[in-house]
Amino acid sequence: MKNPARARPDTSGEFDSLRVWRRVIVYSLVVAVTIILGFAVWAWLNTLQQQRGKLRIEARLTANSARALFAGLANDLPYLSRQINVAGLESTHRVYALLSAYQRYHPGVASLVLFSPGGSMRVNTARPCCAVLPDTRGHPGIYRSLLNTLHAKGLWTGQTQKGLVLGKWRIPIRYVIRSAKGEPRAILQASVLLKTLTRQWHGAALPAGTAVGLIRTDGVHIARLPASHVQRLYSTPADGPLMAQLKAHPAQAEGGFGGVVFSDSAWRIGEYVKLDEFPLVAYASIPLGVLAVHWGESIAPVVALVMLSLAGFIVLSRRQIMREQRHVEELALRRRRSAVTGLPNRFALMEWLDANLARGPASLMLLRVDLDDFHDINAALGPDAGDRALQEAARRIRVTGQAAGGFVTHAGGDKFDIALPGATLVNANGLAQSLLHALGAPLEIDGRMLRLQAGIGIGCYPQDAQDSAGLLRVVDSALYGAKRDGKSHIGLYDPVEGDLSSVRLNFQHAVERALAANEFVLHFQPIVDMQDGRIVGAEALVRWLDPERGMVPPAEFIPLAEATGRIGAIGQWVFHHACRSAARWLRQGHDLHVAVNLSAVQFASANLAVRLREEMLSANLAPSRVVIEVTETAVMQDVERSLGVLNALHALGLGMAIDDFGTGYSSLAYLRRLPAQTIKIDQSFVRDVDTDSEDLAIVRAIVALARALGRKTVAEGIENAQQWKLLQAIGVDYGQGYWLGRPVPEDELRALLGSNHGRVTAVAQQTTTQR
């Protein structure tokens, strides 16, 4: 009989092989699961970071839109309060007329209301003057909100409620009118409809479930989109993760939060941005479920690829990451490059200098190239040809500068910078000579042969300056010296002379003397209605009556004033006296405005709006009588900042005009957003409009563009009757030029206004006939 044990087949070898095979499968699965889990965690964090970034951008946009609204009212309500005090609180009719006049120019304000300190409604522009108004005491929420306003020291954003007169949800923005002793005399309220604030939120491309809102720091909501349980939302202070973050980090300007929110009891993640000037916080949030969907969508294809091939998964993941990285780098690159030349811009240069100077190099040379008389190319050939010439100049500078190991940037306009790390003055001077040689080579544009010339300034680190800002000032001073010496010159910074050269110092002293001795005078050039020849305004132009040199034309002293930083003081003098002249015209019965040019220095001033408002108040002149002229080039240097400045001036009630239009590089998208009522067609296009078909086509296009945007047009430089008739036929609204009237002193302008009922067309045509 056989041993049963020996009768069983020996399967130990097969068992061991299966176990090893199972281990391989298990290990492979562990590796795959580990990769999947690791990627899932990474994808979650990456998705969370991306979504928080988008939410932060949306919160900033929301904060910016709210800041624009509240900043305008923060300027206007105190101003209105002073006007009400002047008009007299007791005169309901005068107060009503004042508030109604303001509202006509501010469509964003649904109504203006005046309350007594006890909360009773006295005036409401949504109702006729002296109409019966609701009693706020019958509405405890509104009455309580009004009484809370009395404790506010500045602008107060009240509780969002349904207006008793408007009957719509509105945001009350209030200012307490106080006596000289600080006692409340009245409460002035600007009512902004809730939908006015949230209108632009509707247009944002946001994921489903995104909530955007504005909340006070005490937890009371001002606005939210979407808004469920509206009554509860706007009457009950929120107590959730956002408020917890604000309490935990009171000094933090922006941040994130997460948890169950008060508004809809959903678990959300969000980002917030504080409005530093106001006790308000803007936020944007999405439900956690939406984040999970985005995360799932990002890992689902990867999981499938891992199951098919780990190697394929790694390759595809890397490709996707690199694609996203390239996309981010491209976006960052665009922000740091000139749209015209494609070179890094001034912002990129500052970053580069800060990064390189932080390493403490032994030396670093900076060259600034300024093309000579480049505006003449724009004037003679047009802006398109000017762009092509600028692009070719940029190419030559880039090739020459990079060959020397330099970092080449376009500083804006016709200026370029080249930074040479580790170079000596000999190297920098050699590069400057090469640049002048490269730029001087013949250049053909539209069949015309040109030769470019330039001035070049050179500054050195650390001998001339210790930081990037100082180095830029140094190279500007060196460039000034080069341009002063003539064309195609190279200027080196002189640490002894510096910015206080004898010429510049003497000029600064002369300007101070001229301002003190009232040597500056204003001449006024008529602005004429193209249809009937009536003078509708006058542009204020400064002249210098120097006791030694006589009448100095602006072309001689304005550029030097800009270079020495004295243009701001001269510009303030011009605005001061122009306002007083316009007030005199009005008192003498002449219905016309005054146009005043703003220099780039004035335009960059932080307190520009405050100073202009004070000058108009001092002259007792309504802002509607003043038109501020800003060049297209100054506006386009920093579009977003320019929009903020122009909106602040527009909020004062000032008229605005874009000067020298067509000579810059404005974008139609930005032009639509500029609150300018008038476009001034540069005289370089008007000069030959009756003989040059290209100039005629450009003027026609500008007029058509202005009409499409609802703007008026002013043609500068009209010099003969043919130009007048042609521009009149095209549809230009207003005109200026020697044929219509040269710049004259104020008394001569008044005489012109008195002759022929203030019309100049007949006089000009008669003069032409006599010729």
Side-chain angles (χ1 to χ4, degrees), residues 300-343:
V302 179
V303 173
L305 288 174
V306 169
M307 300 304 294
L308 294 174
S309 169
L310 292 176
F313 159 73
I314 294 171
V315 170
L316 291 175
S317 296
R318 180 173 177 79
R319 185 178 301 168
Q320 180 67 20
I321 293 170
M322 293 303 293
R323 186 182 298 122
E324 292 293 333
Q325 184 175 344
R326 283 195 299 272
H327 177 63
V328 172
E329 289 173 352
E330 287 172 2
L331 291 178
L333 196 61
R334 289 177 193 171
R335 191 166 70 92
R336 290 166 171 79
R337 290 202 177 267
S338 164
V340 179
T341 63
L343 290 174

Side-chain angles (χ1 to χ4, degrees), residues 525-528 715-719 735-743:
Q525 185 173 30
I527 300 172
V528 178
E716 300 178 294
I718 300 176
E719 296 180 352
Q736 274 181 270
Y738 282 4
W739 187 72
L740 299 174
R742 292 174 175 269

Side-chain angles (χ1 to χ4, degrees), residues 518-720:
N518 213 23
E519 294 174 8
F520 289 112
V521 294
L522 284 185
H523 285 190
F524 297 92
Q525 185 173 30
I527 300 172
V528 178
D529 190 309
M530 295 291 289
Q531 299 307 311
D532 58 12
R534 181 172 51 88
I535 299 176
V536 296
E539 181 176 358
L541 301 168
V542 66
R543 301 290 187 265
W544 187 355
L545 187 57
D546 189 284
E548 299 176 358
R549 293 174 293 170
M551 189 67 76
V552 182
E556 290 188 18
F557 69 86
I558 291 297
L560 197 53
E562 292 174 340
T564 58
R566 305 309 300 160
I567 191 66
I570 296 175
Q572 188 70 17
W573 183 93
V574 170
F575 191 84
H576 174 89
H577 288 275
C579 287
R580 278 148 181 79
S581 295
R584 281 193 292 271
W585 302 338
L586 187 59
R587 289 195 298 270
Q588 294 161 3
H590 302 302
D591 182 17
L592 68 160
H593 67 266
V594 65
V596 183
N597 293 279
L598 276 191
S599 69
V601 173
Q602 288 176 283
F603 194 60
S605 174
N607 60 346
L608 174 64
V610 174
R611 287 192 294 176
L612 297 191
R613 182 177 60 195
E614 289 174 351
E615 290 289 0
M616 289 184 291
L617 284 172
S618 175
N620 196 23
L621 181 66
S624 59
R625 295 284 175 179
V626 182
V627 174
I628 296 298
E629 295 189 0
V630 184
T631 63
E632 180 186 11
T633 303
V635 170
M636 296 310 297
Q637 284 179 354
D638 187 341
V639 175
E640 292 303 324
R641 188 192 173 282
S642 297
L643 282 172
V645 174
L646 291 176
N647 282 326
L649 298 180
H650 179 67
L652 290 179
L654 290 165
M656 271 169 286
I658 301 301
D659 200 7
D660 299 341
F661 185 80
T663 61
Y665 307 99
S666 57
S667 160
L668 181 58
Y670 285 125
L671 186 60
R672 283 193 317 119
R673 297 167 58 193
L674 297 177
Q677 300 85 10
T678 306
I679 292 175
K680 299 194 74 173
I681 306 170
D682 188 69
Q683 60 182 340
S684 61
F685 304 122
V686 177
R687 185 182 300 117
D688 299 320
V689 71
D690 53 336
T691 59
D692 191 316
S693 58
E694 290 184 359
D695 284 346
L696 178 60
I698 291 172
V699 173
R700 286 185 188 275
I702 294 174
V703 172
L705 173 63
R707 284 180 176 172
L709 295 177
R711 269 63 162 182
K712 298 290 185 180
T713 49
V714 178
E716 300 178 294
I718 300 176
E719 296 180 352
N720 56 56

Side-chain angles (χ1 to χ4, degrees), residues 110-125:
S111 69
L112 285 164
V113 191
L114 189 71
F115 296 95
S116 70
S120 60
M121 192 183 303
R122 291 185 52 195
V123 175
N124 192 316
T125 59

Side-chain angles (χ1 to χ4, degrees), residues 48 71 168 235 340 353 399 444 653 681 692 702 761:
L48 182 62
K168 299 176 181 178
S235 61
V340 179
L353 286 175
V399 170
E444 184 177 355
I681 306 170
D692 191 316
I702 294 174
T761 307

Side-chain angles (χ1 to χ4, degrees), residues 75-298:
N75 286 331
D76 292 349
L77 292 187
Y79 171 79
L80 273 176
S81 298
R82 289 194 295 272
Q83 295 299 310
I84 290 170
N85 272 326
V86 172
L89 281 169
E90 300 76 19
S91 175
T92 301
H93 288 280
R94 285 201 294 267
V95 172
Y96 185 90
L98 179 65
L99 298 183
S100 298
Y102 174 88
Q103 191 179 351
R104 278 196 298 273
Y105 294 98
H106 296 78
V109 177
S111 69
L112 285 164
V113 191
L114 189 71
F115 296 95
S116 70
S120 60
M121 192 183 303
R122 291 185 52 195
V123 175
N124 192 316
T125 59
R127 291 276 181 88
C129 182
C130 300
V132 177
L133 300 173
D135 187 353
T136 57
R137 289 174 297 180
H139 303 271
I142 294 177
Y143 185 69
R144 209 165 33 245
S145 178
L146 277 167
L147 295 184
N148 288 339
T149 306
L150 296 175
H151 304 292
K153 294 182 179 179
L155 200 69
W156 172 259
T157 305
Q159 199 168 318
T160 302
Q161 296 163 324
K162 261 192 179 180
L164 298 180
V165 173
L166 295 172
K168 299 176 181 178
W169 285 92
R170 55 91 179 105
I171 303 167
I173 302 169
R174 304 187 182 116
Y175 185 83
V176 180
I177 303 175
R178 300 183 183 276
S179 66
K181 296 181 179 180
E183 298 172 349
R185 299 187 64 201
I187 300 172
L188 178 60
Q189 172 179 299
S191 299
V192 178
L193 293 182
L194 184 59
K195 66 180 182 182
T196 300
L197 180 62
T198 61
R199 185 182 296 122
Q200 56 187 307
W201 300 354
H202 288 275
L206 300 172
T210 303
V212 179
L214 193 66
I215 191 170
R216 291 194 326 210
T217 52
D218 60 2
V220 175
H221 265 90
I222 300 301
R224 187 181 190 269
L225 190 70
S228 56
H229 308 293
V230 178
Q231 190 65 43
R232 170 177 170 267
L233 177 67
Y234 294 130
S235 61
T236 309
D239 185 16
L242 172 57
M243 299 310 299
Q245 280 293 107
L246 293 175
K247 292 176 183 177
H249 306 283
Q252 194 166 292
E254 57 183 42
F257 63 92
V260 178
V261 301
F262 161 83
S263 305
D264 56 9
S265 300
W267 186 288
R268 290 176 170 271
I269 65 161
E271 293 287 317
Y272 69 87
V273 175
K274 289 182 179 178
L275 280 70
D276 294 334
E277 308 89 337
F278 309 101
L280 300 172
V281 178
Y283 70 85
S285 68
I286 58 172
L288 192 62
V290 173
L291 185 66
V293 169
H294 283 286
W295 171 70
E297 290 173 352
S298 67

